Amino acid sequence: MIESFFKGLKDILDQKYILVEEIDKAPYLTDWRKRFTGKAQAVVLPGSSDEVARIVKLCASNNISIVPQGGHTGFCGGATPDGSGNQIIMNFKRMNQIREIDIANQTITLEAGCILQAIQEKAASNGFLFPLSLGAEGSCMIGGNLSTNAGGTNVLRYGNARDLCLGLEVVTASGEIWDGMKGLRKDNTGYDLRDLFIGSEGTLGIITAAVMKLYPLPISQWTTLVAVENIVSSIALLNLFQKRATSLLTGFEMMTKESLDLNEKHFPQMANPLQGKPPYTVLIELSDYESEAHVRQLLESILEEAFESDLISDAVIASNLSQANAFWQMREHITLAQAEEGANLKHDITIPLSSLDSFISETDKLMRTKFPGVRIINFGHLGDGNLHYNIAPPLGMDPKIFNETHEKPIHELVYEQVERCKGSISAEHGVGQLKLEGLRAHKGAVAHDLMKTLKRALDPQNILNPNKVVSI
Ligand code: FAD
Ligand code: 2HG
Ligand code: ZN
């Protein structure tokens, strides 16, 4: 059986694109955070949609399950195989062609393995902005971004990966190629298949190509860091910027003192330029299509109003591009500082802004009472109500013991508070294997059953990334 499977694979792919030796497979078996490691019969590297379709057909007839994989930067173990050693990994790094830029339609057509940063650069060299932007952009791939419906720092203005997508090509569980690549901005012909595949983390179909929206490049961007006393003032500040800057507001990121202290510990060059270590530091970006002077004046006038209303106590405006980049680097480095520090439990949640204060004060209180000494590293995309409410072990605690003893009860505590505040347990990172139980417990029985029905209908053999998102 296995021999005939490998013989079939060799009919589709050159031997050098079928990795079976442990040493060759190893780089594909562990995720970016090193939280998940699996085993695989082989790692396959297809070079075209047709090859993907033929491999899926072969897997279906041999009952072998497939774990699609992009840059393997996901935080939920979605692209890591299980421990059985029976699955194959399908990695997309060879499918990295940018097929077309359509100037009139303002779209870019891409293969699934295109690296996000390469897409941004290609768009910019053609005078366009491709707005999806996240810390892993140097290695994550558009197929992975769409499969996780990635967010990042521009969602406030341009939306997440789903909002940027106008078309998909998908290989189904039976090895059919669905061509949904028309790139239309309006299409009401029945169920929205595109939106079904986006965010499904490789469990309903395999994305092989996509048509994505482009935007004009802004003429000028201004970035500022401001000091804020508490979350209520941070939200009032957001509302002020939304009212005064409307669509020119392109970034609104919140960082607590604890998250920036951790940054400074591991990357002293990333110290907060604001004096006195404020409880909350907010990074705000405005982007303008009119003129440098226009946006600068607008920013100064909004900041003046914020000072007068006592919403902020200090502000630094980046005086040049490199300083603006340094502000953004400081924000993006929190994840890296947490990785340097060791273990941390990630919570990637959204809460309605009106309940955020209640969520934070109640969850902080419970966390500190039930788990004395844990460190709350809270930061995130405040403009989207998306917190990265991460929990690090008490200083000196063994990370392995922390994960074994604290992971389950801490996730549960946070998810219960998310439910109380009518939020979501995943705003952007997805479910994968990490939140499988969390989704089952907190999505609601009806929604969870509908998801299982969809999974059974689209993948009756359960060969596409089984036991990720939902188990059937
Ligand atoms: P992978 O990790 O390889 O895969 C993710 C999921 O998609 C898996 O379930 C996989 O099976 C599936 N998949 C991959 N390719 C395909 C395909 N072609 N067809 C079908 N299924 C597929 N995420 C955010 O949303 N916002 C952030 O701000 C953010 N910042 C990050 C910062 C850092 C430093 C790191 C390391 C990660 C960050 N992430 C963020 C998480 C991660 O980068 C995103 O989830 C990203 O979209 C994953 O892309 P990937 O190519 O690495 O996918
Ligand atoms: C970010 O917003 C990413 O920087 C990573 O989503 C969040 O490290 C995290 O938990
Ligand atoms: Zn994020």
Side-chain angles (χ1 to χ4, degrees):
M1 178 77 158
I2 285 299
E3 277 103 78
S4 74
F5 172 70
F6 276 101
K7 189 177 167 306
L9 264 186
K10 283 180 205 151
D11 290 340
I12 303 168
L13 291 179
D14 191 293
Q15 175 80 55
K16 64 175 182 273
Y17 300 131
I18 307 168
L19 313 181
V20 287
E21 300 300 332
E22 290 309 321
I23 189 163
D24 297 328
K25 290 186 290 186
Y28 303 86
L29 296 176
T30 300
D31 68 323
W32 185 89
R33 290 188 72 207
K34 301 187 172 46
R35 285 259 16 221
F36 300 97
T37 296
K39 293 183 185 153
Q41 280 192 37
V43 177
V44 298
L45 306 171
S48 69
S49 310
D50 188 51
E51 285 177 0
V52 173
R54 290 172 65 200
I55 296 167
V56 173
K57 276 198 176 120
L58 180 71
C59 287
S61 56
N62 286 276
N63 232 346
I64 286 177
S65 59
I66 304 162
V67 181
Q69 189 180 85
H72 213 177
T73 66
F75 284 140
C76 306
T80 316
D82 63 23
S84 67
N86 295 328
Q87 304 188 300
I88 65 159
I89 295 172
M90 181 181 282
N91 182 287
F92 280 87
K93 68 182 194 190
R94 285 184 63 224
M95 290 182 58
N96 60 1
Q97 295 302 305
I98 295 180
R99 291 187 189 162
E100 190 195 8
I101 289 194
D102 182 333
I103 307 275
N105 208 30
Q106 308 237 319
T107 51
I108 185 164
T109 304
L110 307 154
E111 288 186 347
C114 287
I115 302 276
L116 177 53
Q117 194 175 326
I119 306 169
Q120 296 163 344
E121 286 167 3
K122 182 74 177 179
S125 68
N126 282 272
F128 286 109
L129 171 74
F130 182 62
L132 192 65
S133 176
L134 42 120
E137 62 201 20
S139 52
C140 63
M141 299 176 190
I142 194 69
N145 301 146
L146 284 162
S147 300
T148 54
N149 187 25
T153 49
N154 275 329
V155 174
L156 173 69
R157 166 68 180 86
Y158 300 99
N160 47 24
R162 167 174 281 123
D163 298 309
L164 296 170
C165 182
L166 290 178
L168 281 188
E169 181 185 84
V170 174
V171 172
T172 68
S174 57
E176 245 59 84
I177 299 178
W178 172 59
D179 179 354
M181 294 283 281
K182 286 182 182 160
L184 303 175
R185 278 160 212 271
K186 285 184 155 185
D187 182 2
N188 275 353
T189 48
Y191 305 134
D192 195 329
L193 298 175
R194 181 187 70 207
D195 270 3
L196 192 57
F197 291 116
I198 295 173
S200 70
E201 303 182 43
T203 61
L204 300 180
I206 299 181
I207 297 174
T208 46
V211 183
M212 305 297 294
K213 288 184 197 167
L214 294 173
Y215 287 83
L217 267 178
I219 288 174
S220 177
Q221 286 185 309
W222 284 89
T223 313
T224 180
L225 288 176
V226 300
V228 187
E229 202 50 42
N230 53 46
I231 200 73
V232 174
S233 298
S234 306
I235 295 168
L237 184 68
L238 169 69
N239 295 153
L240 174 68
F241 268 88
Q242 284 168 324
K243 183 171 153 214
R244 297 272 321 268
T246 61
S247 63
L248 303 193
L249 179 62
T250 47
F252 200 96
E253 298 286 317
M254 175 279 276
M255 297 160 276
T256 54
K257 176 183 174 300
E258 292 72 19
S259 51
L260 291 181
D261 284 351
L262 193 69
N263 241 2
E264 198 176 336
K265 174 175 169 191
H266 293 284
F267 307 105
Q269 72 281 20
M270 299 277 160
N272 191 350
L274 290 170
Q275 297 302 308
K277 297 183 182 287
Y280 287 86
T281 297
V282 178
L283 187 164
I284 304 162
E285 181 193 76
L286 298 190
S287 305
D288 196 13
Y289 294 91
E290 201 173 307
S291 71
E292 186 118 330
H294 173 256
V295 63
R296 167 91 203 200
Q297 277 161 15
L298 178 67
L299 178 59
E300 284 173 352
S301 133
I302 304 174
L303 288 178
E304 223 172 270
E305 189 176 335
F307 270 117
E308 278 162 14
S309 322
D310 280 335
L311 293 180
I312 61 176
S313 55
D314 193 6
V316 202
I317 298 180
S319 55
N320 52 41
L321 189 62
S322 82
Q323 206 180 4
N325 287 341
F327 291 0
W328 276 110
Q329 286 280 317
M330 184 176 92
R331 160 64 182 86
E332 299 291 8
H333 267 67
I334 302 171
T335 302
L336 307 181
Q338 285 216 272
E340 288 289 315
E341 181 75 2
N344 73 85
L345 301 174
K346 287 194 183 299
H347 301 100
D348 154 47
I349 57 180
T350 8
I351 304 287
L353 285 170
S354 38
S355 305
L356 211 53
D357 184 39
S358 157
F359 172 84
I360 294 174
S361 50
E362 186 64 17
T363 315
D364 281 6
K365 196 168 78 199
L366 289 169
M367 193 66 70
R368 294 203 168 102
T369 313
K370 291 193 173 167
F371 306 101
V374 295
R375 291 164 293 157
I376 302 171
I377 307 296
N378 184 10
F379 62 101
H381 316 284
L382 190 68
D384 313 321
N386 176 187
L387 294 183
H388 296 307
Y389 189 86
N390 296 343
I391 307 296
L395 278 171
M397 186 183 229
D398 181 87
K400 200 164 167 285
I401 292 177
F402 173 70
N403 284 336
E404 276 164 19
T405 55
H406 285 56
E407 179 161 23
K408 212 166 172 287
I410 284 185
H411 283 326
E412 209 33 59
L413 187 162
V414 174
Y415 294 166
E416 273 168 18
Q417 290 306 308
V418 168
E419 194 160 324
R420 176 182 69 80
C421 294
K422 299 191 172 24
S424 165
I425 65 165
S426 176
E428 54 175 15
H429 298 161
V431 178
Q433 46 182 305
L434 179 71
K435 299 179 197 139
L436 192 71
E437 175 51 27
L439 186 94
R440 195 200 57 73
H442 296 282
K443 184 74 189 175
V446 176
H448 193 249
D449 279 351
L450 284 171
M451 286 187 186
K452 289 201 286 189
T453 306
L454 281 169
K455 171 71 177 166
R456 281 191 210 101
L458 294 189
D459 180 18
Q461 275 180 267
N462 200 19
I463 58 163
L464 296 182
N465 220 2
N467 300 317
K468 311 284 171 57
V469 186
V470 288
S471 275
I472 55 168

